[in-house]
Amino acid sequence: MRWEKLTTEEVRRLDRTIPVLMNIAAIEQHGPHLPLDTDARIGGHFLEELDKRLGDRVLILPPVVVCTSEHHMDFPGTLTVQHATLLAYVTDILSAVAAHGFSNILLLNSHGGNQAIGQVIVESFGARHRNCRVGLLTWWRTATDALLKVQESGFGGVGHACEFETSLMLHIDEASVRRDRIPGYSHIMTYDWANSDLLRGGRGSLFRTMAEISGGSGVVGDPSLASAEKGAVISRIVVDALCDIVGSLP
């Protein structure tokens, strides 16, 4: 169910333990071949599929699509807000949800730059709303082992506007992908302890702009290995995982 499509009386009648989900995403550059709303479209797609499967067993909030993308600002079109702004805005929305009595709340994150502040949102909100169960799900972390089996590229081949994101966009909206502009592999490695990709974390973290990580291309990984068929498989894996997670909530 979509929160904004219900009437106030319909919301009043809902079981307050129903899981409530919100997508936090991004409007930012995704290389020469993907649109700026890629992260928002991907996050929205996963929740649309979850809604189709679970119907009245899940409640989906309007998304927050402009989030923290300062590290992409070397590229035209990127929109961003400060971490403090996103923290305040999302926490205020979740506080309104809690004020209406809902107790199971999950953020679905579809942008790498939101992971740190997303955890701060969870910690901040959770500490102030002890009667709520609140969590953060980043889509590529929900089913890492299964997704690793789908990846054809080696380490560093999935990151940003990559094999996975391009595959998902080919599955979700093929017409939005500029096929003639899909580049090859791009990922500028750094210290061994800080190297990572979408599915494999490093031993530590090091701040670098997207221009630095991508060598100026805006792409981290290998989108040349993308396909709509692969996107469909990724979608099924992630939505299966989301169904399991949502179903585990009391």
Side-chain angles (χ1 to χ4, degrees):
M1 294 182 291
R2 294 280 171 173
W3 180 285
E4 70 272 22
K5 301 298 183 182
L6 300 175
T7 68
T8 185
E9 289 302 319
E10 289 166 343
V11 173
R12 190 188 307 276
R13 293 195 293 269
L14 291 176
D15 184 336
R16 269 25 192 188
T17 64
I18 187 173
V20 182
L21 280 81
M22 173 196 280
N23 176 220
I24 53 173
I27 301 295
E28 65 185 20
Q29 72 82 27
H30 272 76
H33 63 296
L34 295 180
L36 298 170
D37 67 348
T38 291
D39 287 344
R41 292 292 303 276
I42 289 172
H45 166 76
F46 289 140
L47 291 185
E48 286 170 11
E49 293 302 306
L50 188 69
D51 189 29
K52 289 176 185 176
R53 292 203 200 178
L54 299 184
D56 61 5
R57 290 177 289 160
V58 67
L59 186 56
I60 298 170
L61 291 164
V64 176
V65 297
V66 178
C67 295
T68 53
S69 298
E70 181 65 33
H71 53 302
H72 288 267
M73 284 298 290
D74 291 310
F75 298 91
T78 298
L79 301 176
T80 190
V81 299
Q82 296 179 47
H83 288 89
T85 302
L86 188 66
L87 171 63
Y89 186 63
V90 174
T91 300
D92 282 354
I93 295 172
L94 299 188
S95 294
V97 172
H100 291 302
F102 294 96
S103 58
N104 286 318
I105 301 171
L106 294 172
L107 295 177
L108 175 64
N109 175 39
S110 54
H111 165 53
N114 291 339
Q115 291 183 102
I117 191 61
Q119 188 61 39
V120 174
I121 291 169
V122 166
E123 297 289 342
S124 175
F125 176 84
R128 285 185 280 166
H129 298 271
R130 302 292 182 88
N131 60 322
C132 289
R133 183 176 291 105
V134 59
L136 172 69
L137 306 173
T138 293
W139 73 257
W140 54 90
R141 297 295 185 192
T142 61
T144 303
D145 290 343
L147 290 172
L148 279 167
K149 296 175 183 177
V150 177
Q151 184 182 356
E152 291 184 80
S153 57
F155 177 74
V158 288
H160 180 74
C162 59
E163 177 186 354
F164 276 16
E165 288 193 327
T166 304
S167 291
L168 282 165
M169 289 303 289
L170 285 169
H171 170 60
I172 296 166
D173 183 10
E174 184 175 1
S176 73
V177 181
R178 285 64 164 174
R179 281 186 171 272
D180 61 332
R181 300 284 291 158
I182 295 176
Y185 178 88
S186 175
H187 191 157
I188 308 301
M189 296 293 179
T190 181
Y191 303 106
D192 174 71
W193 55 266
N195 285 329
S196 65
D197 67 7
L198 207 64
L199 301 178
R200 306 166 183 87
R203 290 180 290 150
S205 63
L206 177 72
F207 175 79
R208 292 191 294 162
T209 66
M210 186 53 59
E212 292 172 321
I213 300 170
S214 69
S217 71
V219 173
V220 179
D222 193 350
S224 70
L225 294 173
S227 70
E229 294 75 19
K230 188 179 294 181
V233 173
I234 294 167
S235 175
R236 176 183 54 77
I237 288 171
V238 173
V239 177
D240 284 349
L242 291 176
C243 285
D244 288 342
I245 292 167
V246 169
S248 72
L249 298 177

